[in-house]
Amino acid sequence: MKSLSLCCLLGLLFLSPKTHAADLDDLMPVRGLCIAAPRPDNVDNFVAFIDQQLAPRHVNTLILRVDYNYQFETHPELRDSDALSRADVKKLVQVCRKDGIKLIPQINLLGHQSFRTHMGKLLSVYPEFDETPWVKLPKEYKWPNPDKLYCKSYCPLNPKVHEVLFPVIDELCDVFEADAFHAGMDEVFYLGEDQCPRCGGRDRAELFADEVRRIHDHLKVKNRRLWIWGDRLIDGKTTGLGEWEASYRTTARAIDLIPKDVMICDWHYERPDPTAVYFAMKGFDVVTCPWRSADPAVQQTDDMIRWRKTTSKVMQPHFQGMLQTVWESAETFLQEASSAKPNPTNSWNCLQAVFNEVGKKSTAP
């Protein structure tokens, strides 16, 4: 890792020794980062980044999007070709334990089983799990397209799919020593398709809710908490948020059908839409998730802090904090973090803006 840039050092000043963990936990219980897991040859650099840059900012939650980037023993056929070893993961576990950071692994479930022209690992190995086998991946991807293909989904009613997924989830949670698991479940465009012999004609909200409950109940047996993205629980037409940040596929009613102890990750990247209030009013714990635009992210941070102070005593605990998202590789993100030329529109700049704002609020008289 290169030495911290002047911009980084100035950012760290806001989280001074006067900032006590207990005060921060009251101000904002979850101060997190969600990022793809590093590749094996970058684990040591990532460990140093956690220790040198996340811990001083009082980041206390790290979600690693692992998917099949691990050397699974339960289903070795699902391993990526360049996957993390157990020893690699334990390095991450050790530094997070030392720095008081909650480490949560993620596997994208239900949706995001393909991307553009490439099939994901699960459906590559088990094509029979595909919700839409008649939709073929194109040689050149374009949106929009006649098949309304964004990403493939697995069929949640396939009788074998959870026999594969649950052992993999358990193994990943075990090696990460995690008491929570992030299941993704965002941007699901294929669900309850008429041509699916199992899902066709079924209520999509019930299908989505049933899959959430199934995963939730499995995790609950070992006292693990389920985290998911919240977009499929918002009506995209009523709110005007559209079919990406919310749902056009009638899944929004699932919000009243899933367990209330699911943690909701509410993402909005260009505007500070206050949908976290909606989730809190429904009785869910919620974190707000920015990406690369610092101005709305700072507003979202201020909103979260204000809601924790000014809403009813019942609702205040539901506003749990901020989760910075990163949608480039871990390797690219670390390069951004070590660059001497700040970029005003990337995840690293946004992360600094969020945690600088948290630091200012925590030290304000």
Side-chain angles (χ1 to χ4, degrees):
M1 293 287 290
K2 296 180 181 178
S3 61
L4 292 176
S5 67
L6 176 61
C7 181
C8 298
L9 288 170
L10 289 174
L12 288 178
L13 292 178
F14 287 119
L15 293 179
S16 66
K18 295 180 180 179
T19 303
H20 299 293
D23 295 335
L24 276 175
D25 288 343
D26 183 62
L27 184 77
M28 185 169 288
V30 175
R31 306 177 298 280
L33 172 67
C34 175
I35 187 171
R39 289 294 171 179
D41 61 0
N42 201 41
V43 167
D44 289 343
N45 284 338
F46 198 80
V47 166
F49 171 78
I50 292 170
D51 200 39
Q52 296 170 15
Q53 301 214 36
L54 296 187
R57 287 180 168 80
H58 297 274
V59 170
N60 68 357
T61 304
L62 177 60
I63 296 174
L64 289 183
R65 299 195 310 275
V66 180
D67 290 314
Y68 300 101
N69 180 24
Y70 178 66
Q71 295 176 13
F72 291 104
E73 296 294 335
T74 51
H75 283 280
E77 72 277 11
L78 291 176
R79 295 178 181 178
D80 283 344
S81 58
D82 186 25
L84 296 168
S85 68
R86 180 181 179 85
D88 291 330
V89 172
K90 290 305 181 184
K91 290 180 180 179
L92 297 166
V93 171
Q94 183 178 14
V95 70
C96 286
R97 181 184 296 117
K98 180 179 77 71
D99 291 331
I101 297 173
K102 182 185 183 75
L103 187 56
I104 303 174
Q106 176 182 325
I107 299 175
N108 271 319
L109 299 185
L110 197 54
H112 281 282
Q113 302 305 315
S114 69
F115 186 69
R116 297 186 179 274
T117 61
H118 302 288
M119 192 71 81
K121 196 69 175 181
L122 181 69
L123 297 189
S124 293
V125 177
Y126 296 100
E128 64 272 25
F129 294 164
D130 193 344
E131 170 76 2
T132 54
W134 59 89
V135 175
K136 305 304 178 183
L137 298 184
K139 291 183 179 179
E140 182 180 350
Y141 180 84
K142 294 181 180 180
W143 178 269
N145 57 72
D147 291 319
K148 297 183 179 179
L149 170 66
Y150 172 53
C151 294
K152 287 270 194 173
S153 301
Y154 65 71
C155 175
L157 297 185
N158 186 294
K160 299 292 185 180
V161 68
H162 298 100
E163 293 179 13
V164 173
L165 288 175
F166 284 167
V168 167
I169 292 169
D170 289 345
E171 182 178 357
L172 199 63
C173 288
D174 286 344
V175 72
F176 274 85
E177 302 178 29
D179 62 4
F181 172 78
H182 201 303
M185 305 189 76
D186 60 318
E187 298 175 329
V188 177
F189 282 26
Y190 287 150
L191 182 65
E193 302 304 310
D194 290 340
Q195 292 173 255
C196 177
R198 295 167 295 272
C199 298
R202 290 178 177 262
D203 184 295
R204 291 190 179 98
E206 292 183 2
L207 282 171
F208 188 87
D210 286 347
E211 184 65 0
V212 172
R213 281 198 302 267
R214 191 176 290 114
I215 299 163
H216 166 275
D217 292 351
H218 178 79
L219 293 168
K220 193 78 170 179
V221 171
K222 294 188 177 181
N223 295 314
R224 289 168 175 152
R225 188 178 192 183
L226 174 62
W227 293 44
I228 64 172
W229 305 111
D231 52 282
R232 296 306 95 182
L233 303 175
I234 304 171
D235 189 315
K237 294 180 179 178
T238 300
T239 61
L241 290 174
E243 62 184 328
W244 300 92
E245 294 179 54
S247 175
Y248 280 1
R249 301 286 283 169
T250 69
T251 58
R253 287 186 299 101
I255 196 169
D256 295 318
L257 304 174
I258 66 174
K260 297 298 185 183
D261 60 345
V262 174
M263 174 69 87
I264 304 297
C265 300
D266 180 41
W267 61 272
H268 298 294
Y269 299 150
E270 306 303 327
R271 293 192 314 270
D273 293 291
T275 47
V277 175
Y278 175 62
F279 289 111
M281 290 180 70
K282 288 288 187 177
F284 292 95
D285 288 351
V286 58
V287 292
T288 294
C289 309
W291 175 20
R292 61 185 179 183
S293 298
D295 287 346
V298 169
Q299 181 62 60
Q300 289 167 322
T301 305
D302 290 343
D303 287 343
M304 183 63 63
I305 292 170
R306 186 178 74 255
W307 294 330
R308 281 188 60 79
K309 292 180 178 179
T310 63
T311 56
S312 72
K313 295 297 183 183
V314 172
M315 284 183 59
Q316 285 176 15
H318 290 312
F319 296 106
Q320 283 288 293
M322 298 294 293
L323 178 69
Q324 171 68 43
T325 66
V326 176
W327 298 108
E328 60 265 35
S329 69
E331 289 71 25
T332 298
F333 184 69
L334 264 60
Q335 289 172 6
E336 292 174 355
S338 62
S339 174
K341 297 180 179 179
N343 183 334
T345 57
N346 67 18
S347 302
W348 174 243
N349 180 70
C350 191
L351 180 146
Q352 291 183 94
V354 167
F355 283 94
N356 288 354
E357 189 68 11
V358 173
K360 290 177 186 178
K361 298 294 186 183
S362 67
T363 56

